[in-house]
Amino acid sequence: MATNRGRGSGLLRFAESRKNLAGCAGGLAGLALTFTGAAGAYWPLVVAGLYGAGALIAPPERIAAPHFPDAAEQLDVLREDFTRLREYVASLQLPPAAAGRLTELDALLSALVEHGQWSSDPDSFHALTRAVREDVPEAVDTFVRARWWTRFTPGTEPPERHLERQLTLVHEELATVASSLRKAEEQRQESLTYYLEKRPSRSGD
């Protein structure tokens, strides 16, 4: 059944192709010559020849370029991932210090995820994506698994210390991203002010 469907779709694509349509146009021209008597007894060859000629001169099928998600589409998906990350973290019992650091990080992530101007700064967007999809969930998951083993190995370094440090490092990286965005907005604002100050006045028109 799958083979038959594949053949059917292939025939349909050929029937709708430019070469077949151009060939059919040539074949119709051959039939017109046949009806007028110009093709004579060799009309089948004339029709077939004009069909073949039309198919040969038809432009090749244009293959559509692959679609890659733009910044807006990627941001929509990232927002969904961030929502799932929040739900995952909310389901866990974390130490107070780590929970406080995670709350600060969540506020910063939320502000960055809501920021919509990422097309001109792919490196910062990559850092944000990595934090949401890799850094934070991996840090939390590693802590949860390491904490389970501490009951069997007392006296070892508390795993929450690593978690706090990891979250701090992620927060510092994203704070740098936020600072760059703030500076870019300030420069844009200053440029607009300069433009408005230098723009010729039309009050006397």
Side-chain angles (χ1 to χ4, degrees):
M1 295 298 292
T3 302
N4 291 336
R5 286 197 298 269
R7 291 176 179 174
S9 61
L11 291 174
L12 181 60
R13 286 195 299 270
F14 174 76
E16 297 175 345
S17 66
R18 295 179 181 179
K19 289 188 176 295
N20 181 58
L21 294 177
C24 289
L28 290 175
L31 290 176
L33 293 176
T34 300
F35 292 144
T36 60
Y42 299 99
W43 68 268
L45 295 177
V46 173
V47 173
L50 290 177
Y51 175 89
L56 287 175
I57 64 175
E61 295 294 323
R62 187 179 69 86
I63 301 176
H67 171 73
F68 299 104
D70 57 21
E73 293 173 321
Q74 294 181 48
L75 185 57
D76 289 339
V77 176
L78 182 61
R79 285 170 176 162
E80 295 176 359
D81 294 341
F82 181 53
T83 299
R84 288 195 291 270
L85 175 61
R86 276 178 154 179
E87 294 172 351
Y88 164 67
V89 172
S91 66
L92 303 174
Q93 293 291 335
L94 299 177
R101 173 55 68 182
L102 194 58
T103 299
E104 297 175 357
L105 182 57
D106 177 82
L108 182 55
L109 281 170
S110 179
L112 291 173
V113 168
E114 290 304 316
H115 179 68
Q117 304 298 325
W118 292 105
S119 57
S120 60
D121 196 355
D123 291 338
S124 295
F125 185 74
H126 174 71
L128 174 61
T129 301
R130 183 176 55 197
V132 172
R133 295 174 177 167
E134 299 177 20
D135 296 340
V136 176
E138 184 174 355
V140 174
D141 180 66
T142 302
F143 162 75
V144 172
R145 289 186 284 109
R147 181 176 58 179
W148 188 85
W149 285 104
T150 56
R151 70 184 70 180
F152 304 107
T153 55
T156 57
E157 185 178 10
E160 53 265 28
R161 292 183 182 176
H162 286 287
L163 176 60
E164 293 169 23
R165 181 56 180 158
Q166 291 162 5
L167 296 177
T168 298
L169 291 172
V170 176
H171 188 278
E172 291 175 353
E173 181 181 15
L174 294 180
T176 301
V177 172
S179 178
S180 299
L181 294 175
R182 176 183 58 81
K183 291 178 181 179
E185 294 298 336
E186 289 177 350
Q187 292 176 356
R188 188 176 296 109
Q189 189 178 37
E190 292 173 358
S191 298
L192 178 59
T193 301
Y194 179 81
Y195 164 75
L196 293 175
E197 291 175 343
K198 299 301 181 180
R199 186 172 64 182
S201 175
R202 302 180 60 88
S203 59
D205 294 350

